[in-house]
Structure formats: structure tokens, C-alpha cells
Amino acid sequence: MKTGIIGLPQVGKTSLFRILTKAHLSEQAYSNPREAHVGVAKVPDERLDRLAALYNPKKLTHASVEYVDVGAIGQEALKETAYLAHLRGVDALAHVLRTFDDPAIPHVGSIDPLRDLKNVEFDLMVSDLGQIEKRLERVEKDLKKMRSADLEKEFELLKRAKAHLETEKPLRELEMTPYVLNISESTELGKDLEAAVAKYKLKEQASRPNSAAAAICGKVEAELSEMSDADAAEFLGSYGLKESGLVRLIRTTYALLGLCSFFTAGEDECRAWTIPINTRAVEAAGAIHSDLQHHFIRAETIRWDQLLEAGSEANARAKGTLRLEGKDYIVQDGDVMHIRHSG
Ligand SMILES: Nc1nc2c(ncn2[C@@H]2O[C@H](COP(=O)(O)OP(=O)(O)OP(=O)(O)O)[C@@H](O)[C@H]2O)c(=O)[nH]1
Ligand SMILES: [Mg+2]
């Protein structure tokens, strides 16, 4: 799963990318807005950490998501093949919107995230429309040479997409967009973050299909990313926050993409696995290893908190909270599973 970080120049895209992926980019890479950076972010998960505290495993493996810092968006960039290829390669777009005020860092006009959002989406739609028109021409030519059911289907789809875009609506069925509001540091940051979406009149945009908004303070997140977990918790508390913006952003992205996590737990390894919501047990087993899917018998299943409460699998079995589920069981977010197999 890949999320592309987009936004106008100098809004904090690369800063966000560095915080998310803890990447230490060279100054040179940092200052070249034309270069795309790819990095992997560990998905923080307190449930997994608590399971690990129970098992004390040799290895602890969090789920991960990939982020791509595609560089500043603009009409020029959207004409570049390489730039468009980066955009096309992602499952979701995280649109960073500047709300922090800093006269030292240039911005086109006043601080107005709603205006910026509309402008960037407009440029994206114009770019989509241009590509659709090009492809339409090609398909129309080919259809004149020979009839083909596939081409006709594509032709119809392209025409529908074109009509949709011409009413200035983005092709949201294909893109998921969490909006990331990069806000100024303040003493009441907890409250400010909660109020940010309403304050900048972004409620309507954030509630459109396949969209959501999360506010973060880039400056605070940057400091957090350098701290130990204990220090980070204390630091967050001093701002009236329970969790980092990073956790909220990743959770928002998971929700938009329709993903959830299940766990495997043991003395060797405790690990989180990412699957689409509504995945059957047999396919979830396949996420671990294809052999487990092919030779699947049953899945010993328990909710993470029930396992912690029982204190061990043996206790959970005795209490009857450890269930045996078959192939068609729909795996729930937070399930701990042990796959029984004949392979
Ligand atoms: N005051 C303040 N400055 C910030 C914040 N986030 C980023 N900056 C600064 O803004 C400048 C631009 O940040 P970048 O992360 O490089 O922004 P970008 O969107 O990647 O910029 P381009 O790639 O050039 O489009 C840097 O000098 C950052 O230190 C913030 O929350 N507050
Ligand atoms: Mg950048």
C-alpha cells in the first residue's frame, strides 16, 4: 500500500515525509523539489506492543505503509511524465495544506488552505481530463480499424469519466485523499488540532466520498520523532495530546483504504499483518504465507484484549475465549490468529 504526499510548494511535504518514515535525507535531497523520495513508515500499534510485553518475543514486527514524497504540485509538474507516473503509482494521496504562518517561508498569497485545496484539485482534474482526452482519441482511432468489446468498454468508461470531470468533480472513485493540515505550534495544541478542520472551513471537503482530514503540527511531530517512547508520551501530555499526529494520519489512511490489522503472537515473533476489511480467514492466512492458505485447516482466534486478559493461550482455551474458526470466518481488526495447517 502506497500513499503519495502532494501539495503546493513549501507547505511541509518533505518534512512530513521525514517524520513519517524517519528518513534522514541529505540536505541536497531535501532541497530538490523535483526528486521523489520513497520510504516506509512503521504503523504504530499499542495493541501489538502490549502483546509483545506478554510474549517477550525475539522479534517484533509492526505493519508498514509506504509513502512517496512526489514533490511540489503545479501546472508545470503535472505536464511531466515522471511526475505523473509517481502519482499513478500510489493507492492514496495525502494532500498537505499549509496553515502555519511564517513570513520567512514563501507561500502563494495569504494562508488559505481551502483556496489551496481547490486550486490543487482543479489542476489535478485538468490534468486527468487532458489524459482522458488523449486516450479517447487513441481508442476512437483504434475502434475505427477494428471492433473489440474491450475497447468499446474502455471508450464508454472514458466518456463517463470525462463527463464527470467536466462537472468539476474529481475522479474520487479512483483516488483516496486524506487532507493533512500542517498547523502552527501553540500551547493549546490538542484543542487547536481538533478545531482545525472547522476553523479553516474544510468540513465539507473532508466529508466527501473517499476523503478525510487530519491536522498535525509539523514542528511538534519533528521533535517527537527524535524522542524515546517514554519522552514522547510526556511531551504529548504537556500539549494536552494523547497520541501523535502520525498515529492519527496513519489511522485515517488505513480507514480510507479500507484496511485493518490482525496479529500473530508467539515467543519467536509478534507481528501485525495488514489486510482489507472483510477478508476471510483463509485469505488472511495467505497474507502470512501462501502455503498456509493452501493447507489451511482452522484458525485459532482470539481478540487481542481477551488474550491479554487471560494472560496466556492455555488460560484462554480453558476460559473458552479462544475460538476455532473455519475458512469463511471474516477476520476482525485486532484478532490474534494461529493458523492450523496440514502443509
Ligand atoms: N514554521 C513552520 N515551518 C515549517 C513547518 N513545516 C515545515 N516548515 C518549514 O517550511 C519549509 C519547507 O518545508 P518542506 O518540508 O521542505 O516543504 P515542501 O512542501 O517539501 O517544499 P517543496 O518540496 O519545496 O515544495 C522548511 O524550511 C521547513 O522547515 C511548520 O509546521 N511550521
Ligand atoms: Mg519537498
Side-chain angles (χ1 to χ4, degrees):
M1 185 189 84
K2 251 191 208 173
T3 302
I5 299 173
I6 61 162
L8 290 173
Q10 300 284 294
V11 293
K13 300 179 297 297
T14 303
S15 304
L16 176 69
F17 172 82
R18 286 175 70 221
I19 297 160
L20 285 166
T21 61
K22 296 206 162 65
H24 293 282
L25 300 174
S26 68
E27 278 307 312
Q28 201 188 355
Y30 202 59
S31 63
N32 182 1
R34 274 283 159 275
E35 194 185 333
H37 312 121
V38 183
V40 172
K42 185 180 99 170
V43 177
D45 195 327
E46 203 205 330
R47 301 168 301 179
L48 180 65
D49 296 337
R50 290 178 57 189
L51 285 170
L54 179 66
Y55 283 91
N56 201 13
K58 293 192 197 95
K59 202 172 157 199
L60 174 61
T61 313
H62 285 76
S64 60
V65 282
E66 217 174 305
Y67 284 94
V68 190
D69 178 11
V70 292
I73 212 160
Q75 287 167 11
E76 285 311 309
L78 285 169
K79 283 180 194 136
E80 289 168 19
T81 322
Y83 190 85
L84 291 171
H86 286 306
L87 284 188
R88 218 173 283 133
V90 300
D91 306 299
L93 297 172
H95 187 173
V96 181
L97 295 162
R98 175 155 161 185
T99 73
F100 70 83
D101 213 351
D102 189 338
I105 300 159
H107 189 59
V108 246
S110 56
I111 295 298
D112 184 348
L114 182 59
R115 175 205 59 206
D116 291 351
L117 182 156
K118 286 182 174 165
N119 283 345
V120 167
E121 295 219 321
F122 187 79
D123 287 347
L124 280 171
M125 285 189 276
V126 169
S127 163
D128 284 348
L129 198 55
Q131 294 193 53
I132 284 175
E133 279 167 352
K134 241 200 271 165
R135 181 71 196 152
L136 258 176
E137 247 174 58
R138 176 88 249 155
V139 172
E140 214 169 359
K141 255 190 209 148
D142 288 351
L143 271 174
K144 274 184 192 143
K145 278 185 238 151
M146 59 156 190
R147 302 195 68 78
S148 130
D150 278 351
L151 276 180
E152 260 161 44
K153 239 193 230 158
E154 190 184 344
F155 188 66
E156 286 311 310
L157 181 67
L158 286 166
K159 275 203 300 197
R160 258 186 28 224
K162 182 167 181 271
H164 188 80
L165 281 166
E166 279 166 348
T167 62
E168 287 190 28
K169 284 195 202 114
L171 293 173
R172 199 69 71 191
E173 301 95 278
L174 309 177
E175 315 164 347
M176 322 283 174
T177 309
Y179 301 112
V180 186
L181 283 165
N182 191 2
I183 81 170
S184 300
E185 196 179 0
S186 70
T187 44
E188 300 229 313
L189 192 56
K191 276 193 198 142
D192 289 352
L193 288 172
E194 257 174 57
V197 174
K199 179 177 169 193
Y200 293 104
K201 305 193 167 49
L202 288 162
K203 269 201 160 142
E204 190 197 320
Q205 315 288 329
S207 57
R208 284 185 342 210
N210 289 333
S211 304
I216 65 155
C217 173
K219 234 178 178 169
V220 167
E221 297 294 329
E223 286 176 50
L224 276 171
S225 68
E226 306 285 331
M227 289 180 194
S228 72
D229 287 354
D231 288 350
E234 201 186 310
F235 186 70
L236 282 169
S238 73
Y239 279 102
L241 294 168
K242 278 203 283 298
E243 52 186 11
S244 69
L246 180 109
V247 173
R248 278 180 289 118
L249 176 61
I250 289 180
R251 197 188 301 127
T252 306
T253 310
Y254 256 58
L256 275 181
L257 292 172
L259 300 172
C260 67
S261 305
F262 76 96
F263 307 108
T264 47
E267 265 109 53
D268 282 334
E269 187 182 23
C270 286
R271 181 163 181 170
W273 303 87
T274 306
I275 49 168
I277 290 167
N278 289 326
T279 297
R280 297 189 308 149
V282 63
E283 275 101 29
I288 303 172
H289 200 286
S290 56
D291 283 353
L292 293 185
Q293 182 167 356
H294 295 136
H295 303 290
F296 182 96
I297 300 174
R298 284 198 187 294
E300 287 177 15
T301 308
I302 183 167
R303 257 191 11 231
W304 73 278
D305 50 337
Q306 289 179 323
L307 176 56
L308 282 176
E309 199 188 303
S312 73
E313 279 164 43
N315 287 350
R317 199 174 283 116
K319 278 175 89 170
T321 44
L322 191 78
R323 294 164 274 137
L324 273 181
E325 300 287 0
K327 279 187 177 177
D328 292 332
Y329 169 71
I330 301 295
V331 178
Q332 303 294 307
D333 187 41
D335 276 349
V336 183
M337 303 188 98
H338 179 75
I339 311 294
R340 285 200 197 161
H341 57 96
S342 60

